[in-house]
Amino acid sequence: MAKPKFHLLSFLVFISIFLSFFYCTLSLINPYDVPNWLAVESDDISSMVQTKRGSWKECDFSVGKWVLDQSYPLYDSNCPYLSTAVACQKNGRPDSEYEKWKWKPHGCSIPRFDALRFLGKMRRKRILLVGDSIMRNQWESLVCLVQGVIPTDRKTVTYNGPLMAFHAMDFETSIEFFWAPLLVELKKGPENKRVLHLDLIEENARYWKGADILVFDSAHWWTHSGNTSSWDYYMVGNSIIRNMNPMVAYQKGLSTWARWVDLNLDPRRTQVIFRSMSPRHNRQNGWKCYNQKKPIQFFSHMHVPGPMIVLQGVLKRMRFPVYLQDITTMTAFRRDGHPSVYKRALSVEEKQNQKPGTGLSSDCSHWCLPGVPDIWNEMLNALL
């Protein structure tokens, strides 16, 4: 009976050595080429995102409902850091209930934003939001959420090229926004052509180094086509590409961003969050959101946007633990929250002729403030 035991022991030792070798080999594989069966499922990514702290372990913030709360908003439209285009009350929007909805996840709750507590947690930290005008929308929201507890002479905003930063001096905290709607580099080429370099990012990313918290978004600009496109052709290395499926281009651009994060950031020093795509309600040439005063109650079916699928695929191949903040579905209910025609003050004549075909445009992409992005920031605060 001793011999079989000896053979079993030898077999187990062989298996152990083989698995160790296999694991080491895997560690050398490019994470962006890892086959699907080794990757985390997209549902697991969502779980990882929501489990940074034990208290949120069983809570998926992205699933829930909007509930009316008369204690909102958390600041008013007199916040001095609001852009004219999102200060809907100042621009004459007659209703205000859109400011009073909060998001209630199923099975848990998102803590109400406490400015002093947030600044205390962020003392001596640099928070950097990177992306497009929707991320600028979120930056203004976050600044307005905190600025009311800071004396006027103890706060300031500075500018450095594409970077703008709000400073809370007594906390040595900065809340910054960096304009990079495509994350990768968009440059002028020969004959003044606009060239989107899918494999270049350092010109933008050099501003991101040293941040304690990085929040990214990038989706909307990748879906533009024809006359609304921001580039004339793509480049990868020295190769010019004039036609490419937008989602293939998005995947290549995001993979360049992912490689930079993996190679340049330390998860013990920097926390990285990627906020998912903010939905637009742009049907009927932008008038789908006009005069909407309540959230949509339900959807007959939920559509997962193409950029979301691409984003999940890139994130699950990364070594760095990036947290996906999924706001897409919850925000899709809020067609009432857009500026629509109230992106500026209207003349008397315009107020009397608020309809398509009158030369008046309706913004169903950005968000009134106070409003929906405040809830994104309450979620962000909980994740931090």
Side-chain angles (χ1 to χ4, degrees):
M1 296 301 292
K3 280 189 175 181
K5 287 183 180 178
F6 176 77
H7 290 312
L8 178 61
L9 182 61
S10 301
F11 177 74
L12 291 173
V13 170
F14 172 76
I15 289 296
S16 176
I17 293 171
F18 174 77
L19 288 175
S20 298
F21 173 77
F22 180 70
Y23 177 82
C24 292
T25 304
L26 269 182
S27 69
L28 299 175
I29 296 175
N30 185 330
Y32 312 99
D33 297 327
V34 173
N36 288 336
W37 58 271
L38 286 175
V40 185
E41 293 299 322
S42 60
D43 287 345
D44 295 334
I45 294 175
S46 181
S47 298
M48 282 192 338
V49 172
Q50 316 295 356
T51 58
K52 181 78 165 56
R53 296 287 181 263
S55 58
W56 304 111
K57 196 167 186 179
E58 302 302 326
C59 183
D60 182 352
F61 289 158
S62 68
V63 180
K65 64 179 181 179
W66 290 96
V67 295
L68 199 60
D69 187 330
Q70 295 296 337
S71 69
Y72 282 71
L74 301 174
Y75 58 92
D76 62 37
S77 58
N78 290 317
C79 173
Y81 303 99
L82 290 183
S83 299
T84 299
V86 299
C88 302
Q89 289 295 301
K90 279 191 171 182
N91 293 337
R93 180 166 175 170
D95 62 304
S96 61
E97 191 174 278
Y98 66 89
E99 298 179 337
K100 300 180 182 300
W101 294 90
K102 65 179 286 187
W103 180 249
K104 176 68 172 70
H106 295 324
C108 64
S109 60
I110 298 173
R112 184 182 178 88
F113 192 91
D114 183 318
L116 282 174
R117 190 170 183 179
F118 176 83
L119 288 168
K121 286 193 300 182
M122 297 297 113
R123 186 181 295 275
R124 299 187 185 88
K125 292 188 184 294
R126 181 182 173 215
I127 308 159
L128 178 55
L129 282 63
V130 180
D132 56 21
S133 57
I134 309 295
M135 187 61 89
R136 165 72 184 262
N137 217 174
Q138 185 175 354
W139 176 82
E140 291 183 14
S141 161
L142 186 55
V143 170
C144 286
L145 283 167
V146 303
Q147 67 88 27
V149 300
I150 306 170
T152 302
D153 61 345
R154 305 304 298 161
K155 56 191 173 188
T156 188
V157 174
T158 59
Y159 301 87
N160 178 19
L163 184 72
M164 55 195 305
F166 171 85
H167 301 271
M169 298 178 194
D170 293 332
F171 293 88
E172 300 177 61
T173 299
S174 67
I175 302 172
E176 306 177 24
F177 169 70
F178 183 85
W179 172 256
L182 298 158
L183 300 182
V184 292
E185 296 175 20
L186 180 63
K187 297 182 176 181
K188 285 290 178 69
E191 300 178 4
N192 220 29
K193 295 293 186 180
R194 301 163 301 170
V195 185
L196 183 57
H197 294 266
L198 296 175
D199 58 345
L200 297 181
I201 200 169
E202 190 59 41
E203 198 170 282
N204 293 331
R206 61 193 175 96
Y207 288 90
W208 309 342
K209 292 178 180 178
D212 298 281
I213 295 158
L214 279 163
V215 185
F216 292 94
D217 92 318
S218 183
H220 284 295
W221 280 43
W222 294 93
T223 64
H224 296 172
S225 60
N227 293 333
T228 63
S229 176
S230 301
W231 58 89
D232 296 300
Y233 55 85
Y234 306 99
M235 282 194 75
V236 178
N238 294 320
S239 300
I240 294 174
I241 306 168
R242 298 195 181 277
N243 294 301
M244 184 185 294
N245 181 298
M247 290 301 96
V248 173
Y250 183 49
Q251 192 274 337
K252 289 181 180 294
L254 274 186
S255 295
T256 298
W257 165 84
R259 277 190 291 273
W260 183 88
V261 169
D262 276 344
L263 292 173
N264 291 277
L265 299 182
D266 181 351
R268 294 167 297 184
R269 168 75 176 81
T270 306
Q271 187 171 350
V272 178
I273 294 169
F274 204 111
R275 198 209 70 221
S276 70
M277 184 178 189
S278 167
R280 293 173 289 188
H281 299 91
N282 272 349
R283 294 177 186 171
Q284 301 173 2
N285 295 320
W287 287 83
K288 189 72 174 179
C289 70
Y290 172 68
N291 209 28
Q292 297 296 327
K293 297 178 180 176
K294 290 186 181 297
I296 298 170
Q297 292 301 304
F298 65 91
F299 292 102
S300 56
H301 66 279
M302 293 304 301
H303 169 69
V304 180
M308 184 68 161
I309 297 170
V310 172
L311 173 60
Q312 289 178 330
V314 170
L315 293 186
K316 70 184 181 182
R317 285 165 176 77
M318 293 180 68
R319 292 192 184 100
F320 193 101
V322 175
Y323 295 89
L324 174 59
Q325 183 187 2
D326 182 2
I327 56 89
T328 303
T329 301
M330 61 178 280
T331 309
F333 291 98
R334 294 302 310 277
R335 68 182 179 188
D336 60 311
H338 298 288
S340 185
V341 297
Y342 299 105
K343 59 185 180 180
R344 60 177 176 82
L346 304 180
S347 67
V348 174
E349 183 179 352
E350 287 173 327
K351 289 178 181 178
Q352 294 171 348
N353 294 282
Q354 294 181 22
K355 57 184 179 181
T358 60
L360 197 60
S361 61
S362 174
D363 180 356
C364 295
S365 296
H366 300 93
W367 302 94
C368 293
L369 292 177
V372 172
D374 302 331
I375 308 303
W376 302 346
N377 283 323
E378 285 196 315
M379 184 189 296
L380 177 64
N381 178 43
L383 290 174
L384 297 177

